[in-house]
Amino acid sequence: MHFVEAKGILTGRAGMQGMNVYRGCSHGCIYCDSRSRCYQFTHPFEDIEVKQNAPALLAQALRARRKPCMIGTGSMSDPYMPCEETLGLTRRCLEIIRQYGFGATVITKSDRVLRDIDLLEAINSETKSVVQMTLTTWDDGLCRILEPNVCTTRRRLEVLARLRGRGIPAVVWLTPILPFINDTEENILPILHACADVGVRGIICFDMGMTLREGNREYYYAALERHFPGLKERYIERFGNAYHVPSPNSRALMGMFREFCTARGILHDPEECFAYLAELPDRSPQLSLFDPPR
């Protein structure tokens, strides 16, 4: 872990601004796209870069904005890695988001998000907060191989249930799905049923498959050699150096996914999910014709 003074903190479009308090990750997920060389890391991925001035930059940016919007974090690096327990930068940023009347959404695989459930509940009561949780693998033994340094799918579902119990909306990322590993109905369907039981608002799944490019491909293939002997060669033979690596079962699994979500009223078109995440409800007091002038 090392500390830097960042020059800026927010990026994105008008309806949704994103930030990453940390850069790099210690979760060790074997498929992580953030390892790709296109992101131009100048330090080892596990050597977490901490933007120690992130709260100050965020406060400065939000003070300057006339209209509140949703502020998201976690798209590149999980905001609830172990270092957050001592540093508390994510919580401080959430406090600032609440202070200035903005909405918040976090993407995480960690149960550490429960530390901030009180704050997320308060933001949601005043503006809007959404917790986005990645779920890929129903079998906990396989989950510990694919996502070794983070809590299991069962624990993440417990987290989602507690968040929903406090009225905090949830969206699940059902991605990536790894060809020849977890791309089966036996894996996907229990996750979908668990999401429905918890009451998630949406499930984001672009396709049943994954992406591989320079940087994360090498890391992923090394993991395949350790845990799934012979599978690396199968990938190379079938996919070569392709960026998009679809499951051979993609069509059937996507059909099942869409049918399931449609029947239960769960948002599942990615654009609809992103529109929901970016939408900040207008909670300003509404004047009645019978209200006295102010």
Side-chain angles (χ1 to χ4, degrees):
M1 183 169 61
H2 64 282
F3 296 84
V4 299
E5 292 286 320
K7 294 181 180 179
I9 194 66
L10 292 180
T11 59
R13 55 189 186 275
M16 171 74 79
Q17 293 284 299
M19 65 176 181
N20 283 293
V21 177
Y22 304 108
R23 198 158 183 261
C25 190
S26 56
H27 287 343
C29 302
I30 71 170
Y31 51 71
C32 182
D33 176 72
S34 293
R35 293 179 179 275
S36 300
R37 289 204 176 94
C38 63
Y39 298 118
Q40 300 178 340
F41 274 80
T42 57
H43 57 86
F45 191 70
E46 286 78 13
D47 178 16
I48 310 301
E49 181 179 284
V50 179
K51 299 176 184 178
Q52 58 186 350
N53 60 334
L57 287 174
L58 181 62
Q60 181 183 20
L62 298 191
R63 277 196 303 268
R65 295 184 67 89
R66 292 185 177 183
K67 186 177 180 181
C69 66
M70 292 292 288
I71 307 295
T73 187
S75 62
M76 284 290 294
S77 299
D78 198 307
Y80 288 103
M81 291 181 289
C83 59
E84 171 62 19
E85 291 184 8
T86 54
L87 297 175
L89 293 179
T90 297
R91 182 172 180 89
R92 179 64 187 129
C93 286
L94 288 175
E95 290 170 341
I96 291 167
I97 288 169
R98 183 190 179 193
Q99 177 186 347
Y100 288 98
F102 284 67
T105 180
V106 298
I107 306 174
T108 186
K109 293 187 181 90
S110 175
D111 55 1
R112 294 182 186 88
V113 68
L114 290 176
R115 181 203 62 183
D116 295 340
I117 193 171
D118 59 330
L119 188 49
L120 290 164
E121 183 181 28
I123 294 171
N124 193 53
S125 68
E126 296 162 8
T127 51
K128 178 182 176 182
S129 69
V130 183
V131 172
Q132 303 175 63
M133 188 73 75
T134 300
L135 305 177
T136 68
T137 308
W138 182 249
D139 179 82
D140 279 350
L142 182 58
C143 183
R144 291 186 181 96
I145 293 173
L146 305 183
E147 302 159 347
N149 302 326
V150 69
C151 63
T152 63
T153 295
R154 297 299 199 288
R155 174 57 177 160
R156 289 176 229 174
L157 287 164
E158 292 173 2
V159 170
L160 289 174
R162 286 188 59 184
L163 292 164
R164 293 295 301 119
R166 300 282 282 268
I168 300 165
V171 169
V172 161
W173 286 76
L174 184 64
T175 182
I177 300 301
L178 312 181
F180 315 120
I181 296 177
N182 61 359
D183 58 336
T184 64
E185 181 176 335
E186 292 74 21
N187 178 57
I188 302 298
L189 195 55
I191 295 175
L192 294 177
H193 277 291
C195 288
D197 290 343
V198 168
V200 303
R201 184 70 180 91
I203 303 175
I204 298 172
C205 180
F206 300 99
D207 192 8
M208 296 294 170
M210 66 183 304
T211 59
L212 286 174
R213 50 187 164 187
E214 189 178 4
N216 78 315
R217 180 184 289 109
E218 292 83 352
Y219 190 86
Y220 181 64
Y221 280 175
L224 293 186
E225 288 187 313
R226 290 195 306 273
H227 301 292
F228 308 97
L231 194 52
K232 170 185 172 182
E233 289 71 23
R234 192 175 178 185
Y235 267 71
I236 293 171
E237 180 181 356
R238 185 176 185 100
F239 304 115
N241 288 324
Y243 168 66
H244 182 221
V245 180
S247 164
N249 304 322
S250 180
R251 183 173 181 178
L253 291 175
M254 286 300 295
M256 179 187 71
F257 165 70
R258 294 188 183 105
E259 181 179 353
F260 183 96
C261 292
T262 299
R264 288 158 180 80
I266 299 172
L267 293 176
H268 57 282
D269 178 83
E271 291 305 316
E272 290 181 351
C273 291
F274 293 141
Y276 168 73
L277 291 169
E279 179 188 18
L280 189 62
D282 182 6
R283 297 192 176 177
S284 59
Q286 299 297 312
L287 291 177
S288 165
L289 291 174
F290 303 101
D291 286 338
R294 297 184 180 182

